[in-house]
Amino acid sequence: MACCAFRQGTVGVMATSGGERGLPSVGEINVGNVELQPLLTKLKRRSLLDSKDEAAILTLPFELKTLRTGGYLVRSGKHTDFNSVLLHGFACRQKAVGGGRRQITALQMPGDTVDLHNWLFQFADYSVQAMSAVTIAQIPRAALIEVTTRFPAIMRAFGLDALVDASISMEWMANIGRRNALMRLAHLLCEIAVRRELIDSQDGQSPYMRMTQEHLGDALGLTAVHVNRMFKQLERDGLISQNKSTFVILDMPRLQAAAGFEPAYLHLESLPDE
Amino acid sequence: MACCAFRQGTVGVMATSGGERGLPSVGEINVGNVELQPLLTKLKRRSLLDSKDEAAILTLPFELKTLRTGGYLVRSGKHTDFNSVLLHGFACRQKAVGGGRRQITALQMPGDTVDLHNWLFQFADYSVQAMSAVTIAQIPRAALIEVTTRFPAIMRAFGLDALVDASISMEWMANIGRRNALMRLAHLLCEIAVRRELIDSQDGQSPYMRMTQEHLGDALGLTAVHVNRMFKQLERDGLISQNKSTFVILDMPRLQAAAGFEPAYLHLESLPDE
DNA sequence: CGTAACCTTGAGTAATGTCAAGACTGGTGG
DNA sequence: CCACCAGTCTTGACATTACTCAAGGTTACG
């Protein structure tokens, strides 16, 4: 029955509070091992890379960091000279809006580039926060620039990654702007289910994703209270079931129909032609 | 007093209706003239390009098309082997949501790349519609790939363009999801004012932008009726004035304050360091 | 056990949508 | 030049959705 499950969480950090815990633990400099495999796996999902490209990716220098739930992978306004890749765990990208509000603009899963946007900008104008225990690889930007310049296929793979990100952003905009609360929640649950299934099928069981109803609200442009009510509604309709802080999709086809969910925007299928 | 004005429009095309007019008139194949200047101007705003890069851009092959208000620059689901650049006029990117609804996900102005997302995808999952008389240059994708491969600076300039696009998308998400109707409208008006001023200062007076209150609603996740009420509210507050279908910003600082508008997300200022 | 974070629920309120009618505008054809 | 017309704007009355506030229950964790 169950298509997907995640723990709704108990240790999530409020948007407005400081949440200073979860400071990264200093890792060691590594060169050339299998640690970056999630990145390669993700890039290969959509792009053709030959063995030289693969080797170049796997031998990128990086520094491993570990963060606890609620820790910051990226802080708004801070300058860095590296870019991060999420290797393990889940995170969300968020923008602060006035009055202690925030909008979550993306969910990130293993293999995702955390802050590719800072590639060419001086400062991030968003934060990225861990929604589980998280491992990231911080790759010096100079090394990334060097590799992408030498290996055009890698450049294109990152570009494609950015385009998929943009496609998801557009769908989220449509979701937030033009669907009602019930459909919004159902739609996001469908997206999470599909994306998680992909991750779990490739990298084995991943940790629980501590996504509170407040997180969901901030992602959907809703109040946590209203998210709760919509959960109950979906449960009454027999589309999902909740017990404790885990939800399970009972009827994926009907949930997708209720959400107007069409997974094409995730661009999971096709390698580019050419 | 006036910081910006656009005509709110009378000939806009409804989202749901067919709107089959505005078919492109077939242009001629051109190589190497000044027609692509708006693209170059825009790229140079944020990226350093040397004279060889500039020459490569200006000598890209392209086909000119002219569309009327309401015509489609890009149609969802259609395959093309070219990418378009908006040379003159205004357009909006939009996604269809079930039930004849749409979400406008971006506004496009002269120099903007219309469908860079299709760079590596087979099909667009959005449409782009003209909001004024429009001139575009359709550049064969093969030529784009060739030029960006030979000139890394051009590749990077397009990449930066895409990142700015993503940044704007995030701000729109935050706007739609986490601000009330009055702030949303004020915020969008601020963005349009800033971006238009840039265009007009560089390319001279541009045509009226036919953005109906329905367009605004579809961009903001609101009803056209409610957009109208918020317009009246802003007028009562002395922030803008409307006469006929033109609005004028009377007090930009107060409008920005009311909107929580901070133009950093447009990334207008900085050339990248390095 | 005790506590902080989170979930759940209800009652009342505010914001936004819906429907409908009339006025205005710019373009078109007679 | 005028009359007409489709599209748009404007406004009011009403319906609905979602928010706010508040209280109590639950869960995870020390």
Side-chain angles (χ1 to χ4, degrees):
Chain A
M1 270 306 179
C3 295
C4 162
F6 69 77
R7 193 179 207 168
Q8 281 180 244
T10 56
V11 200
V13 163
M14 304 289 298
T16 55
S17 67
E20 285 306 310
R21 59 186 152 152
L23 294 174
S25 63
V26 178
E28 300 163 23
I29 296 279
N30 292 274
V31 177
N33 57 30
V34 82
E35 221 96 33
L36 292 178
Q37 187 62 45
L39 171 63
L40 182 58
T41 301
K42 190 201 172 189
L43 293 179
K44 282 177 69 179
R45 206 153 68 213
R46 299 196 187 90
S47 300
L48 290 168
L49 298 175
D50 64 25
S51 56
K52 275 191 278 187
D53 300 321
E54 294 191 17
I57 289 173
L58 289 178
T59 55
L60 277 165
F62 64 90
E63 195 168 333
L64 272 189
K65 300 266 180 181
T66 304
L67 283 81
R68 283 183 285 177
T69 302
Y72 283 90
L73 289 72
V74 176
R75 269 182 195 280
S76 176
K78 259 201 165 179
H79 176 71
T80 59
D81 48 8
F82 52 80
N83 288 93
S84 300
V85 173
L86 187 54
L87 299 179
H88 192 250
F90 300 95
C92 63
R93 195 191 298 154
Q94 55 193 239
K95 275 200 84 155
V97 186
R101 294 204 184 107
R102 70 169 171 181
Q103 173 70 40
I104 293 177
T105 60
L107 297 182
Q108 301 182 327
M109 301 201 178
D112 286 349
T113 50
V114 170
D115 53 356
L116 209 51
H117 304 82
N118 302 340
W119 182 257
L120 299 166
F121 293 146
Q122 304 259 23
F123 303 100
D125 59 346
Y126 57 83
S127 300
V128 179
Q129 204 173 15
M131 293 197 305
S132 73
V134 148
T135 308
I136 61 176
Q138 296 180 332
I139 303 174
R141 188 159 310 137
L144 274 174
I145 289 175
E146 199 258 348
V147 160
T148 50
T149 308
R150 274 205 300 147
F151 299 89
I154 297 179
M155 172 69 105
R156 193 174 313 167
F158 277 118
L160 190 54
D161 199 51
L163 295 186
V164 173
D165 201 271
S167 175
I168 295 176
S169 288
M170 284 200 285
E171 186 64 35
W172 278 40
M173 247 187 272
N175 197 36
I176 298 169
R178 281 288 175 247
R179 282 193 261 257
N180 63 29
L182 193 68
M183 292 184 78
R184 280 187 229 178
L185 177 59
H187 196 277
L188 183 55
L189 295 184
C190 288
E191 177 178 323
I192 292 173
V194 169
R195 289 176 64 186
R196 273 216 59 155
E197 192 178 22
L198 204 68
I199 296 300
D200 290 349
S201 72
Q202 288 179 347
D203 298 340
Q205 192 64 28
S206 39
Y208 278 129
M209 186 171 161
R210 306 272 172 111
M211 193 160 192
T212 66
Q213 296 184 352
E214 176 136 8
H215 279 112
L216 290 166
D218 286 337
L220 296 169
L222 296 171
T223 300
V225 172
H226 204 59
V227 168
N228 183 284
R229 289 193 237 270
M230 295 302 103
F231 256 120
K232 294 303 164 194
Q233 174 81 47
L234 289 175
E235 201 167 14
R236 269 199 303 281
D237 296 347
L239 300 178
I240 66 169
S241 80
Q242 283 179 291
N243 75 342
K244 302 188 182 181
S245 41
T246 302
F247 90 94
V248 177
I249 295 179
L250 295 176
D251 190 338
M252 189 63 171
R254 273 178 59 217
L255 187 65
Q256 291 195 4
F261 178 81
E262 291 171 27
Y265 73 95
L266 294 170
H267 294 283
L268 297 176
E269 63 312 322
S270 60
L271 286 169
D273 60 346
E274 66 189 305
Chain B
M1 271 305 178
C3 295
C4 163
F6 69 77
R7 192 179 208 170
Q8 283 182 244
T10 55
V11 201
V13 163
M14 305 289 298
T16 55
S17 66
E20 285 305 311
R21 58 188 152 150
L23 294 174
S25 63
V26 178
E28 300 163 24
I29 296 278
N30 292 273
V31 177
N33 56 29
V34 82
E35 220 96 34
L36 292 178
Q37 187 61 45
L39 171 62
L40 182 59
T41 301
K42 192 204 171 188
L43 293 180
K44 282 176 68 179
R45 205 153 69 211
R46 299 197 188 91
S47 299
L48 290 169
L49 298 175
D50 65 25
S51 56
K52 275 191 279 189
D53 299 322
E54 294 191 17
I57 288 174
L58 289 178
T59 55
L60 277 166
F62 63 91
E63 195 169 334
L64 272 189
K65 300 267 179 179
T66 305
L67 283 80
R68 283 183 286 176
T69 301
Y72 283 90
L73 289 72
V74 175
R75 271 183 194 279
S76 176
K78 259 200 166 178
H79 176 70
T80 59
D81 48 9
F82 53 80
N83 288 93
S84 300
V85 173
L86 187 55
L87 299 179
H88 192 250
F90 300 94
C92 63
R93 195 192 298 155
Q94 57 193 239
K95 274 201 86 155
V97 185
R101 293 203 185 107
R102 72 168 169 181
Q103 174 69 40
I104 293 178
T105 61
L107 298 181
Q108 301 182 326
M109 301 200 177
D112 285 348
T113 50
V114 170
D115 53 357
L116 208 52
H117 303 81
N118 301 340
W119 181 257
L120 299 167
F121 292 146
Q122 305 260 22
F123 304 99
D125 59 346
Y126 56 83
S127 299
V128 179
Q129 204 173 16
M131 294 197 304
S132 72
V134 149
T135 307
I136 61 176
Q138 296 181 332
I139 303 174
R141 187 159 310 137
L144 274 174
I145 289 175
E146 199 257 348
V147 160
T148 50
T149 307
R150 274 205 299 146
F151 298 89
I154 296 179
M155 172 69 104
R156 195 175 313 168
F158 277 119
L160 191 54
D161 199 51
L163 295 187
V164 172
D165 201 272
S167 175
I168 296 176
S169 289
M170 283 199 285
E171 186 65 36
W172 278 40
M173 247 187 271
N175 198 36
I176 298 169
R178 280 288 176 246
R179 282 194 262 257
N180 64 29
L182 193 68
M183 293 184 78
R184 278 186 231 179
L185 178 59
H187 197 277
L188 183 55
L189 296 183
C190 288
E191 178 177 322
I192 292 173
V194 169
R195 288 176 65 185
R196 273 216 59 156
E197 191 178 21
L198 204 68
I199 296 301
D200 290 349
S201 73
Q202 289 179 348
D203 299 339
Q205 192 64 28
S206 40
Y208 278 129
M209 187 172 161
R210 308 270 172 113
M211 191 160 193
T212 66
Q213 296 184 352
E214 177 136 7
H215 279 111
L216 289 166
D218 286 337
L220 295 168
L222 296 170
T223 300
V225 172
H226 205 60
V227 168
N228 183 285
R229 289 192 239 269
M230 295 302 102
F231 256 120
K232 295 302 164 195
Q233 174 81 47
L234 289 175
E235 201 167 14
R236 268 198 304 279
D237 296 346
L239 300 178
I240 66 169
S241 81
Q242 282 180 291
N243 76 342
K244 302 189 182 179
S245 42
T246 301
F247 90 94
V248 177
I249 295 179
L250 296 176
D251 189 338
M252 189 61 170
R254 273 178 59 218
L255 186 66
Q256 292 195 4
F261 178 80
E262 291 170 29
Y265 74 94
L266 294 170
H267 293 282
L268 298 176
E269 62 312 324
S270 60
L271 286 169
D273 60 347
E274 67 190 302

